[in-house]
Amino acid sequence: MEVPDFLRYLRFFKYAAFAPIRGEFLECYYVLMRFLDDIVDGDAPMPKGYISGKDYLLEKIEFSKNTIHPKDEVDHLMVHCFKLAEKFGEDFREETADILNSLLFDANRRGKMIIFPKEDLIHHFHLLDIRGTIKATLKVFKDDPEKYTLLEPLGMACRYQYDIEDIAADLAAGYVNISQEECIRLQISKEDLNNPASKRIKKWLLERAEKGMQLLEEHHRRLPEGNFSLLQKWAFTLVYEIPAKKVFKQIISDNQNN
């Protein structure tokens, strides 16, 4: 299996930051969350003894609160992550709860094609995931996790990137990341949701890309307020901004050529 670019960057972080323990934590934590996400999305087989991803996640959420008597490799990996964090004086239980509850939202709606209000999507899918991920990253960089609000535009832009990249796979799995308000405004019907190539879906994707570019501009306006280190800025640009901008520009270009 090809190692994702993100993991390669994390491995480099170990040496660039001269912080091998923090680098190992980042890598293990990413693997942990990536595996749980794959369980929810159906990209990894359901562990034996569980009926659904929802049941499995609920158990992991409870275990994250009190990590005794691990039952499987995921539990052991979570314990390992938390022990690594203790070595550099941090606790990631709050961030883990945010991320796992975001995954639980996906587990609950898988296959159901439910169209949620914008407020629900922002809270369950965007806020929890973005807040949890960014606060965890800032802690690894020895920075104030409350600075995450300065990085919300970048986090939301990345969320829009994933919405664009995964539109066909998400709709096929029954996930609708288009809000009720957007469906009404763009007249997106159930038929459109069954056809990611429809003109109305493409218009939503274009709006996502244009808004994503605006969010990246807002990110650059806010960035100086955070007094972030050069290494942090490098990570924000290489790991998050460049891939997102590439996706947005492609969507905008495709629309102009059609």
Side-chain angles (χ1 to χ4, degrees):
M1 181 177 67
E2 183 181 355
V3 178
D5 285 343
F6 187 53
L7 272 182
R8 286 203 290 268
Y9 298 145
L10 295 186
R11 287 195 175 100
F12 177 76
F13 170 80
K14 291 183 183 180
Y15 307 104
F18 303 101
I21 295 177
R22 291 171 185 265
E24 183 181 354
F25 167 82
L26 258 178
E27 187 169 345
C28 291
Y29 198 68
Y30 174 80
V31 170
L32 172 66
M33 295 305 172
R34 181 74 264 168
F35 177 75
L36 290 171
D37 185 61
D38 286 345
I39 291 291
V40 171
D41 290 342
D43 295 329
M46 186 66 59
K48 292 182 180 180
Y50 297 90
I51 299 175
S52 66
K54 173 185 174 181
D55 293 335
Y56 191 68
L57 269 178
L58 285 171
E59 181 179 285
K60 299 311 163 193
I61 290 171
E62 288 304 310
F63 179 75
S64 71
K65 300 173 184 176
N66 186 20
T67 51
I68 59 173
H69 307 308
K71 293 176 57 177
D72 58 15
E73 292 181 357
V74 167
D75 289 348
H76 284 288
L77 182 56
M78 192 181 299
V79 170
H80 179 61
C81 287
F82 288 168
K83 286 182 177 179
L84 286 171
E86 287 176 5
K87 290 182 179 180
F88 56 88
E90 292 290 359
D91 186 302
F92 289 84
R93 284 173 173 78
E94 181 180 321
E95 292 75 23
T96 298
D98 274 350
I99 297 171
L100 293 185
N101 276 289
S102 177
L103 292 178
L104 181 62
F105 175 63
D106 270 356
N108 282 327
R109 67 190 182 123
R110 178 173 170 79
K112 296 178 181 178
M113 296 297 284
I114 300 172
I115 304 173
F116 289 91
K118 180 180 179 180
E119 184 178 357
D120 286 353
L121 287 176
I122 288 176
H123 175 71
H124 292 289
F125 196 43
H126 301 321
L127 176 61
L128 292 180
D129 184 30
I130 291 169
R131 183 176 66 190
T133 302
I134 293 178
K135 287 181 74 172
T137 302
L138 287 171
K139 282 185 175 182
V140 170
F141 278 108
K142 307 179 186 180
D143 209 340
D144 180 3
E146 294 310 312
K147 285 186 183 179
Y148 83 90
T149 56
L150 296 175
L151 296 171
E152 282 183 326
L154 178 62
M156 190 63 75
C158 291
R159 184 67 262 159
Y160 285 7
Q161 171 200 345
Y162 304 147
D163 286 346
I164 293 170
E165 290 180 318
D166 300 338
I167 183 66
D170 283 345
L171 290 175
Y175 300 134
V176 181
N177 297 326
I178 308 172
S179 69
Q180 289 178 358
E181 294 89 339
E182 289 169 320
C183 285
I184 292 171
R185 179 171 56 81
L186 297 174
Q187 298 182 318
I188 295 173
S189 65
K190 289 290 182 70
E191 289 73 21
D192 293 312
L193 295 176
N194 289 321
N195 177 22
S198 78
K199 290 183 179 180
R200 293 186 179 95
I201 295 293
K202 287 184 176 180
K203 182 171 178 58
W204 180 78
L205 292 174
L206 176 61
E207 288 188 0
R208 224 48 169 178
E210 291 173 339
K211 178 61 176 176
M213 292 296 285
Q214 294 171 11
L215 285 165
L216 291 178
E217 291 175 4
E218 176 64 20
H219 164 65
H220 280 281
R221 286 193 291 269
R222 290 193 189 186
L223 196 59
E225 299 177 39
N227 194 29
F228 296 109
S229 70
L230 183 61
L231 183 62
Q232 285 174 295
K233 293 177 182 177
W234 171 84
F236 300 154
T237 299
L238 188 60
V239 179
Y240 302 107
E241 182 178 355
I242 290 177
K245 186 176 290 186
K246 180 179 179 181
V247 170
F248 300 152
K249 285 184 173 180
Q250 186 63 56
I251 290 292
I252 294 170
S253 175
D254 289 347
N255 183 75
Q256 292 172 342
N257 294 332
N258 290 333

